[in-house]
Amino acid sequence: MRKICSIAWNDYLLTVASRTFIISILIAPLLYLGIAGLQIIADRNVDLDIKLLMLVDRSGALSQTLVDKAIQRNRSEKVIDSKGGEVKQVGPMFFVEPYEGDLIETREIERMLSQRVIDQEIFAFAIIGKDILNPNDGPDIGVSYYSDSPTARDLPDWLRETVNEKVKSIRFENAGIHQRTVNKLMQPIEIETLGLADISVDGPTAKPKKDNILETFLIPVGAVFLLFIIVNMSAPLMLNMVIEEKMNKITEVLVSSVSPFSLMLGKLMAASMVGLTLAVIYMGSTLGFLVFFGVIDKLSGIYVIWFVVFLVFALLIYGSMWGGIGAACSELKETQNFAGISIMMVMAPMALIMPVLSSPGSAFSIGISLVPLFTPMLMLLRLGIAPGPAPWEIGTALALCTVFALFCVWAGGKIFRIGLLAQGQKASLTQIVKWLFSS
Amino acid sequence: MSDYAVRLINVAKSYDRQNAVDDLSLEVPAGSIYGFIGPNGSGKSTTLRLILHLIMPDAGVVEVLGKRETRAANDRIGYLPEERGLYKKMTVRRQIGYFARLKGMPGPLIRERTEYWLDRLGLADRIDAKTESLSKGMTQKVQFITAVIMKPDLLVLDEPFSGLDPLNLEAIREEILQLRREGTTVILSTHDMSAAENMCDHIFMIDRGKKVLDGSMAEIHGRFGQDTIRLRVRGETGIDLETLPGVSSVRDHGRFQELRYSGDSRIILEALSRHADIEQFEVTRPSLHDIFIRLAGQGRENERTEAVEA
């Protein structure tokens, strides 16, 4: 055990004392947040074009409204951000130009205006049916939108919304119902989402608490993302440490002093210690943030303990996999194929966050969170959402996870024992499976 | 304590149905320097790995320092592999300390021995230097220290002199001899035949996984006898040396030739004196280098014959 601890301490110091590690502590969360931020920024700022819509209004009642509404929209917050006194365009501008040519046959108009779209004179065109206000008068009641950019949804969406709003308003007016009455009748009802009443006390209780987005969404999802970041930063260290020692020819000296299994355990301990160090740093910052904003009461101490428990499981499972890959390969480039599989395994539970979040108590969510490879992330997510999983689910998940983690460590150790000294040989997946079942 | 530090009894090991070591037996006397020689790919490294318990034999018994159990004696064995490797970013002190701890040494003793060895090999001022800043010779010395710091009962050295300049080579050679004097058994695997001949009490040669030579230097010289003439002539010889009576082969070393012969050397001298101005004519024993070439050459010849017959 003393030797295993020596290996763990040595590898831990080698990792955390490096400049790369210190930089990555700062960069990793920024990188992940940056990707999310980039999405928002891109959504708002990428398309700042002027989109000209040529409108063929066979009803003759909507053109002017759409022209005006487009101008109104361009002045609105959707397009112009004037916060802080600075006016800044943050979205595409729409302009509507009524078609003023002869109202010839539809196919002819389509041909003519399509050519103008191709020539980039207009962005798109739309034809409004002549019977749109009175559907009972004839069949020509629809609106057709034509463009060569089918993925650009903002303009057709705006058109649909605006046309519907205006048409409904005209239809109500024609039916003798005043717009004010309509607005009054159509006023939406707000639904207040609350937790359950406290039934543990007799007599009248306080009003149940309102759902809080921090408690019900940000903390559980944030915890899973934090676990994902830490696993991604720590578990692959196993591969780096093993490959580096193999490439620097240190492995043979090490295994002449300790057994390959002890060596792997030492390295796994080191990777786990690195993971826990990251957890302390990131969780410390998060707690500081929650204290600063006076919402620390939204995070329960038990949830923090679950986070650490599932982090250790994830590090053991994924760390053993990465260690096994490192032992089976001689050079970094050889690890690419196997590393891809491992990355997919870590990514898979992330792809399941939304379905589990929207229905945490469904049979699917229960089943998938009991799959040991997914348990650390998905059970942690479910634990953060009230009412949380049943005790039997938690017990089963912990038992399955323990067995699977032990299996991973055992399998990793087996691959380690044979792979470590297989210098210069390229291991195939079949060969690795053979090593697993060799005596 | 056993008379032998290492015993291999009918050991076999194969990789992908290819015999790396075939029914091999050897005994390394305790307290000796045991030379381990053989051509590349002969099974030398496999045998060393078997002794170190890095790999398990398919058959036979490997007994090291009286223990047959795997890894039981690991803390008493020092190992310097042929392919050197140290952590580049680690300081010399931490590096030596880490490997010593893996051999089970206590902290205070590690500090004391680290200072002793660094001082002894002239590296005391580099104790806090990172390995990447050291010269190749210094790095090899540090690696040598990691192998000997725990004062091993058995020291396995794979090509310890490769890449060393004469000064460093002499320093390491002297330390190996000193360790032997203090009771350490040394297995010295090398391609440097003159080092093996000068330092080793016993020589073991392996070729194609089989033992082809095993014994003390005296026994080996006794087996091969005096069948070599070292010849130096002034100018050119007026005769093809291989046509001289009794001469079976000639090796040209540039400044002199070595003739392998059987029969009476005086007849050769007489025949030669009629055709060349002789500067040196010395009847001597074959060097270990010659013996190696003969045995390895014979091995290749047998291999070719077997291939033709097949």
Side-chain angles (χ1 to χ4, degrees), chain B residues 93-126:
Chain B
R93 184 202 303 269
R94 247 189 82 195
Q95 194 111 226
I96 296 172
Y98 177 50
F99 287 112
R101 274 195 302 281
L102 293 185
K103 288 291 181 189
M105 279 179 75
L109 191 60
I110 293 174
R111 277 191 289 280
E112 185 193 311
R113 292 267 184 90
T114 302
E115 281 164 17
Y116 165 80
W117 274 107
L118 288 175
D119 190 41
R120 204 169 160 89
L121 290 175
L123 291 171
D125 57 334
R126 308 311 299 261

Side-chain angles (χ1 to χ4, degrees), chain A residues 358-380:
Chain A
S358 62
S359 182
S362 69
F364 171 78
S365 297
I366 294 171
I368 203 77
S369 62
L370 291 179
V371 176
L373 211 51
F374 303 154
T375 299
M377 287 171 198
L378 297 185
M379 192 51 87
L380 181 68

Side-chain angles (χ1 to χ4, degrees), chain A residues 151-165:
Chain A
T151 52
R153 299 303 310 163
D154 48 1
L155 182 56
D157 287 348
W158 171 82
L159 181 66
R160 186 179 55 244
E161 201 181 301
T162 313
V163 167
N164 270 297
E165 195 185 314

Side-chain angles (χ1 to χ4, degrees), chain B residues 212-214 217-226 291 295 298:
Chain B
V212 290
L213 186 69
D214 186 12
M217 277 316 298
E219 284 166 352
I220 291 167
H221 283 145
R223 177 177 150 192
F224 286 86
Q226 289 197 327
I291 295 170
L295 293 173
Q298 203 176 317

Side-chain angles (χ1 to χ4, degrees), chain B residues 201-218:
Chain B
D201 306 303
H202 283 72
I203 294 290
F204 173 90
M205 182 171 166
I206 185 170
D207 191 17
R208 295 195 296 162
K210 286 183 182 293
K211 175 163 68 179
V212 290
L213 186 69
D214 186 12
S216 65
M217 277 316 298

Side-chain angles (χ1 to χ4, degrees), chain A residues 21-43:
Chain A
F21 179 77
I22 295 164
I23 294 169
S24 68
I25 286 177
L26 299 171
I27 285 182
L30 291 179
L31 204 67
Y32 287 104
L33 288 174
I35 290 168
L38 199 66
Q39 178 86 29
I40 297 164
I41 293 166
D43 273 358

Side-chain angles (χ1 to χ4, degrees), chain A residues 7-8 11 238 241 262-274 315-321 323 405 408-409:
Chain A
I7 293 164
D11 287 2
M238 283 288 287
M241 290 187 283
S262 303
L263 185 61
M264 198 198 76
L265 282 186
K267 291 191 176 303
L268 209 49
M269 265 173 75
S272 303
M273 281 155 62
V274 170
L315 289 171
L316 289 178
I317 291 168
Y318 295 113
S320 305
M321 283 182 196
C408 285
V409 173

Side-chain angles (χ1 to χ4, degrees), chain A residues 68-182:
Chain A
D68 295 343
K69 287 276 182 185
I71 293 166
Q72 205 178 321
R73 176 193 170 275
N74 292 343
R75 287 197 196 114
S76 79
E77 56 184 310
K78 283 181 188 169
V79 181
I80 304 291
D81 185 1
S82 57
K83 274 179 200 165
E86 193 190 339
V87 177
K88 191 182 164 201
Q89 187 186 345
V90 291
M93 292 220 189
F94 297 163
F95 287 99
V96 176
E97 186 183 319
Y99 172 76
E100 287 172 350
D102 295 333
L103 284 179
I104 46 175
E105 203 257 325
T106 303
R107 296 288 92 85
E108 267 305 301
I109 292 179
E110 284 172 351
R111 261 180 73 82
M112 192 172 64
L113 295 182
S114 293
Q115 185 59 51
R116 292 189 67 181
V117 173
I118 293 164
D119 295 343
Q120 298 186 346
E121 290 174 25
I122 55 175
F123 181 78
F125 64 95
I127 301 176
I128 296 175
K130 69 177 168 53
D131 306 318
I132 194 161
L133 298 177
N134 301 298
N136 298 331
D137 293 354
D140 194 9
I141 56 167
V143 177
S144 305
Y145 174 87
Y146 305 78
S147 89
D148 58 356
S149 311
T151 52
R153 299 303 310 163
D154 48 1
L155 182 56
D157 287 348
W158 171 82
L159 181 66
R160 186 179 55 244
E161 201 181 301
T162 313
V163 167
N164 270 297
E165 195 185 314
K166 185 63 187 170
V167 167
K168 268 192 261 176
S169 150
I170 294 172
R171 283 178 187 170
F172 280 126
E173 248 178 60
N174 290 347
I177 306 165
H178 200 274
Q179 185 63 44
R180 251 198 314 201
T181 315
V182 173

